[in-house]
Amino acid sequence: MADNSTQSIDDHLEKQHFIRVCNAFKFYRTHSHRRINDSEISYRALPEHHQEMVPDFLENLENIRTCVDHNYEIIKLILQDAEYMFENQTQETIHDSVEDVKKTFPTSADMDKVRTTLKQFVRDWSPLGQQERDACYRPVIEEITHRFPIDLCERSSVKVLIPGAGLGRLALEFAKLGFTCQGNEWSLFMLLGSNFILNKCREENSLTLYPWVHQWCNNKYTEDQIRQAQLPDINPAGIPEDSNFSMAAGDFLEVYREPEEWDCVATVFFLDTARNVIAYVETIWKILQPGGYWVNLGPLLYHYAEMADEHSIELSYEQVKKVIIKTGFLFEKEEMDIKSSYTQSADSMFQYQYNSVFFVVRKPL
């Protein structure tokens, strides 16, 4: 009885979380318009001669409103049939009662995640994201294709896992190359986005998004804030019919417990999503087959550091490397200071760049 009660509580919490995430997307337009209205109020509070110096200010705010409204049209497509996204259950978000909505009202952090998801579409699925993909994805793809050359192995028999797959582009690239590949993602924001782009978008450059419309600071030109991005840059369905490609939802540590199941694990901007990075290292060791490879690229911006009511350990890369070696891995390649960024507008006056680490380690036979 206790187990059933616990499961019932877990199911309820999961549903509430799902509803809150959907509500955050639904609240996007209203939340964004409030910010625009605040700018209009501030402008109208200026002395009249100051207003006359920037006469196009209100016109630009109207352009921003239009871009927000257009983004919201894409959000509505993302949410369409969202309750059927998971095969094992229906969340019934469309029929929530008023009380459910009140209990699951989105937080400011939720709204930040909605905006981040929109920018992630650029990183993964727009020509504007090509530079970031080349810096972060290409070294990993080239390394794994080098380790498993098509003339020496049947790639469909090589199983590649991508934890923290985001909107699924890196995982799809491996599937296009013939590997059996699975992406794993925990964030419902990303899962809703990946479900939309992978399963519902079938024409190149068929969607227009305004990802920087929320960037109020560090704009060189007025037009930078309303610069558009076309997506997807490729047809996500354009992979061989016999491709073995999937996305799995859930916490990496809970979903992947089967020992020696994967030939390769590729982590890009993932290690620092851990509360306990040592647990990530041990799990990767466990699920890799003997002789398997772990390829990593990214920084160590620990996501739970300084977060209230969250336990987190923050190790230096030196410490992480010692953990990897003590776990049993053999280093085969290591490069420091890989210049990389994450959902960065190339036109912004403020640029945030990581000196990422890139390594390849092998689980010995």
Side-chain angles (χ1 to χ4, degrees), residues 113-235:
K113 291 175 183 177
V114 171
R115 292 188 288 268
T116 297
T117 302
L118 295 180
K119 291 189 289 185
Q120 184 79 18
F121 277 110
V122 178
R123 175 179 169 87
D124 267 15
W125 295 102
S126 169
L128 295 181
Q130 188 66 54
Q131 183 175 353
E132 283 196 6
R133 293 195 297 274
D134 286 346
C136 299
Y137 295 169
R138 180 177 289 179
V140 174
I141 293 171
E142 290 180 348
E143 189 64 39
I144 293 176
T145 53
H146 170 71
R147 303 281 172 171
F148 299 97
I150 199 166
D151 56 331
L152 294 181
C153 69
E154 178 59 49
R155 281 186 176 164
S156 62
S157 66
V158 179
K159 298 176 65 178
V160 179
L161 176 64
I162 314 292
L167 296 185
R169 180 60 180 266
L170 180 59
L172 184 82
E173 291 296 334
F174 279 112
K176 285 173 59 181
L177 291 168
F179 294 96
T180 292
C181 187
Q182 183 171 93
N184 164 241
E185 180 57 50
W186 175 81
S187 167
L188 270 176
F189 293 90
M190 293 296 174
L191 288 168
L192 286 166
S194 63
N195 176 62
F196 168 68
I197 199 77
L198 292 171
N199 297 321
K200 299 180 182 180
C201 295
R202 291 295 178 263
E203 295 183 21
E204 295 179 17
N205 300 318
S206 58
L207 299 172
T208 301
L209 191 67
Y210 298 90
W212 319 120
V213 72
H214 313 290
Q215 184 169 302
W216 294 90
C217 303
N218 289 309
N219 292 311
K220 266 187 282 191
Y221 302 102
T222 307
E223 293 78 13
D224 289 347
Q225 193 171 1
I226 57 174
R227 195 174 304 281
Q228 62 180 229
Q230 303 298 128
L231 56 106
D233 63 320
I234 61 171
N235 179 0

Side-chain angles (χ1 to χ4, degrees), residues 24 36 41 49 109 117 125 137 223 227 268 273 281 283 312 333:
I36 299 169
I41 291 170
H49 69 284
T117 302
W125 295 102
Y137 295 169
E223 293 78 13
R227 195 174 304 281
V268 177
T273 66
V281 176
T283 296
S312 174
K333 191 171 189 177

Side-chain angles (χ1 to χ4, degrees), residues 252-271:
F252 169 66
L253 296 178
E254 295 179 3
V255 174
Y256 298 96
R257 296 179 175 180
E258 188 68 28
E260 301 182 2
E261 185 178 6
W262 300 91
D263 299 286
C264 186
V265 175
T267 53
V268 177
F269 278 66
F270 174 71
L271 272 187

Side-chain angles (χ1 to χ4, degrees), residues 259-297:
E260 301 182 2
E261 185 178 6
W262 300 91
D263 299 286
C264 186
V265 175
T267 53
V268 177
F269 278 66
F270 174 71
L271 272 187
D272 53 8
T273 66
R275 291 177 177 85
N276 175 4
V277 68
I278 300 172
Y280 272 16
V281 176
E282 289 182 336
T283 296
I284 293 171
W285 169 271
K286 177 180 178 180
I287 65 177
L288 270 178
Q289 293 189 16
Y293 294 95
W294 171 20
V295 182
N296 175 81
L297 189 149

Side-chain angles (χ1 to χ4, degrees), residues 275-328:
R275 291 177 177 85
N276 175 4
V277 68
I278 300 172
Y280 272 16
V281 176
E282 289 182 336
T283 296
I284 293 171
W285 169 271
K286 177 180 178 180
I287 65 177
L288 270 178
Q289 293 189 16
Y293 294 95
W294 171 20
V295 182
N296 175 81
L297 189 149
L300 290 175
L301 179 67
Y302 290 103
H303 291 206
Y304 292 96
E306 312 302 333
M307 191 177 291
D309 302 319
E310 290 287 354
H311 295 289
S312 174
I313 61 165
E314 295 79 41
L315 305 184
S316 67
Y317 174 64
E318 178 187 26
Q319 292 170 315
V320 172
K321 183 176 179 180
K322 288 178 180 178
V323 169
I324 293 171
I325 293 172
K326 288 180 179 179
T327 303

